[in-house]
């Protein structure tokens, strides 16, 4: 019981850290133009998603050898090292969108050029990003990532208890079982980023070099959103509930994570492109919605599993993702939804 409680605490801590780190999406948007931003974001998200690949493996063995406290001491040390790297090694990437625009640099007149750029000082309002959620396209996209990401986190929360009771897994074996979802996330992120730029550049070529944010919602999104993601939810919970071979659920969790990334990365790239002058703010707003759903789905997952079984719980998660996928499709075919908000 103590181990499962610490897993929950760790999931909450990871969510809080991810909310902060994901704001670096804006730095990627600052450095890369629109035609190569998808691949850059794919590589960036790969670093984040590598955590579920390596973290549980090391964590499982640490818990067995030195207890659950050792996991948090390791995270503390790594967190301090990363903080030092960010403070002393990471350069500022901010750029004026009035100069750079949405992916195309605007040449300044000779008398306008200077070695330094004057930036207007504005009062910082940390809650201003929440106002972006009033726009329907931001809320729909943020909730789509919340259901996909939150469902994955809920399975991570359910897995230790179910695998311990159903398959007699030890902590180390539970950690090794996360290799499958970790590979799904890392491979999926790299593929998604590459495909995002390929499809966007094809669409630009048809419009004489003009790109629109909806180009990010590329063809690779829809098989994942409508088939792979909901189906993998169904085929994770029911096999565990019926006691099928554990490899079925392990493989299906990897498929779910691969599908999740095919939705997550393009939708986040869509938001950054659509609100390019406030990329950090829209990312923060989307993170808030995503983490609220991650918290909610993770919180109800185990009580619901004990009440109705893992099959019905993951069926519910799959249906949430399937129904919301139709609204994401609406964003693709109806750019007027974005334009209605002035973007």
């Amino acid at each position: 019981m103590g181990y499962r409680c610490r897993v929950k605490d760790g999931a909450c801590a990871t969510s809080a850290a991810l909310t902060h780190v994901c704001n670096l999406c804006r730095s990627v948007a600052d450095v890369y133009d629109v035609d190569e931003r998808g691949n850059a974001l794919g590589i960036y998200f790969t670093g984040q998603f590598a955590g579920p690949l390596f973290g549980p493996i090391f964590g499982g063995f640490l818990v067995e050898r030195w207890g659950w406290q050792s996991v948090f001491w390791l995270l503390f040390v790594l967190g301090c090292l990363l903080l030092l790297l960010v403070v002393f090694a990471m350069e500022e990437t901010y750029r004026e969108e009035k100069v750079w625009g949405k992916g195309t640099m605007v040449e300044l007149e000779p008398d306008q050029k200077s070695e330094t750029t004057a930036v207007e000082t504005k009062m910082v309002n940390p809650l201003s990003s929440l106002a972006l959620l009033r726009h329907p396209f931001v809320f729909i996209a943020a909730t789509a990532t919340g259901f996909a990401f939150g469902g994955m986190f809920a399975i991570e929360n359910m897995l230790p208890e179910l695998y311990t009771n159903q398959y007699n897994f030890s902590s180390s074996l539970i950690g090794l079982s996360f290799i499958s979802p970790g590979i799904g996330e890392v491979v999926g992120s790299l593929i998604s980023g590459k495909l995002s730029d390929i499809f966007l550049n094809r669409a630009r070529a048809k419009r004489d070099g003009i790109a629109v944010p909806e180009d990010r919602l590329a063809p690779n999104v829809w098989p994942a959103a409508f088939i792979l993601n909901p189906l993998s939810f169904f085929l994770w919970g029911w096999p565990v509930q019926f006691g099928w071979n554990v490899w079925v659920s392990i493989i299906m969790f990897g498929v779910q994570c691969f599908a999740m990334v095919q939705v997550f990365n393009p939708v986040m790239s869509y938001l950054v492109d659509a609100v390019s002058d406030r990329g950090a703010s829209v990312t923060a707003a989307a993170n808030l919605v995503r983490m609220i759903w991650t918290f909610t789905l993770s919180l109800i997952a185990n009580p619901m599993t004990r009440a109705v079984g893992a099959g019905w719980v993951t069926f519910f998660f799959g249906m949430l993702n399937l129904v919301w996928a139709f609204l994401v499709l609406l964003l693709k075919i109806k750019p007027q939804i974005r334009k209605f908000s002035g973007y």
Side-chain angles (χ1 to χ4, degrees):
M1 177 63 73
Y3 169 75
R4 289 195 293 268
C5 289
R6 296 306 154 186
V7 169
K8 294 177 184 177
D9 293 344
C12 294
T14 303
S15 298
L18 186 60
T19 301
H20 172 72
V21 174
C22 273
N23 285 313
L24 293 176
C25 284
R26 178 56 196 171
S27 294
V28 176
D30 287 338
V31 175
Y32 292 92
D33 285 332
V34 66
D35 61 326
E36 54 186 4
R37 190 179 298 159
N39 187 46
L41 285 172
I43 296 173
Y44 165 69
F45 285 127
T46 299
Q48 291 185 16
F49 292 138
L53 172 57
F54 297 107
I57 299 173
F58 292 116
F61 286 102
L62 286 173
V63 168
E64 284 193 348
R65 180 65 179 84
W66 290 291
W68 60 263
Q69 296 94 333
S70 61
V71 175
F72 291 90
W73 280 113
L74 176 62
L75 292 176
F76 171 74
V77 173
L78 291 176
C80 291
L81 291 175
L82 289 174
L83 178 61
L84 292 174
L85 284 174
V86 169
V87 172
F88 294 107
M90 185 173 179
E91 298 180 6
E92 176 58 63
T93 62
Y94 176 77
R95 70 184 188 188
E96 283 287 346
E97 286 297 330
K98 293 179 181 179
V99 176
W100 286 82
K102 298 187 178 183
T104 304
M105 184 176 69
V106 178
E107 185 68 22
L108 295 175
E109 296 296 328
D111 60 345
Q112 290 181 292
K113 296 180 179 180
S114 63
E115 294 297 324
T116 59
T117 301
V119 179
E120 181 183 356
T121 302
K122 298 179 181 179
M123 182 174 293
V124 176
N125 180 2
L127 300 180
S128 62
S129 59
L130 300 182
L132 291 170
L133 293 174
R134 74 184 188 276
H135 301 307
F137 78 97
V138 176
F139 181 78
I140 291 172
T143 303
T145 65
F147 287 158
F149 190 83
M152 177 204 70
F153 242 100
I155 290 180
E156 291 184 358
N157 210 22
M158 297 162 62
L159 188 150
E161 182 174 342
L162 289 170
Y163 278 20
T164 299
N165 296 336
Q166 190 74 275
Y167 302 109
N168 297 316
F169 269 30
S170 63
S171 297
S172 56
L173 285 178
I174 290 173
L176 290 172
S177 72
F178 279 86
I179 293 177
S180 173
I183 291 175
E185 290 172 339
V186 170
V187 174
S189 187
L190 292 173
I191 292 176
S192 175
K194 187 67 70 174
L195 290 177
S196 178
D197 283 345
I198 290 175
F199 287 120
L200 179 135
N201 288 322
R202 285 182 182 177
R204 287 184 68 186
K206 296 177 180 178
R207 301 193 207 94
D208 297 326
I210 299 175
V212 296
E214 286 74 22
D215 293 336
R216 291 295 181 193
L217 304 177
N220 61 301
V221 175
W222 312 119
F226 286 104
I227 300 174
L228 288 180
N229 199 33
L231 187 62
S232 58
F233 274 117
F234 304 157
L235 294 180
W236 187 88
W238 291 114
V240 173
Q241 182 171 330
F242 293 143
W244 294 2
N245 190 295
V246 69
W247 283 105
V248 177
S249 60
I250 289 176
I251 293 172
M252 282 300 106
F253 196 14
V255 174
Q256 192 277 324
C257 289
F258 177 87
M260 180 274 294
V261 171
Q262 301 307 307
V263 176
F264 180 93
N265 286 13
V267 171
M268 288 303 300
S269 299
Y270 162 78
L271 285 177
V272 172
D273 285 356
V275 195
S276 62
D277 57 333
R278 299 187 63 189
S281 295
V282 75
T283 303
N287 286 342
L288 175 66
V289 173
R290 181 165 68 255
M291 293 310 168
I292 288 175
W293 280 114
T294 299
F295 161 76
T296 302
L297 297 182
S298 297
L299 181 67
I300 66 176
N302 281 327
M304 286 181 64
T305 299
R306 298 186 193 105
V308 299
W312 286 113
V313 175
T314 54
F315 177 80
F316 169 66
F317 294 159
M319 290 305 298
L320 276 179
N321 281 271
L322 178 60
V323 170
W324 208 262
F326 285 97
L327 292 179
V328 179
L329 179 61
L330 197 61
L331 294 180
K332 172 69 173 180
I333 63 179
K334 292 289 186 181
Q336 295 89 340
I337 299 175
R338 169 179 55 84
K339 294 177 181 178
F340 173 77
S341 299
Y343 290 95

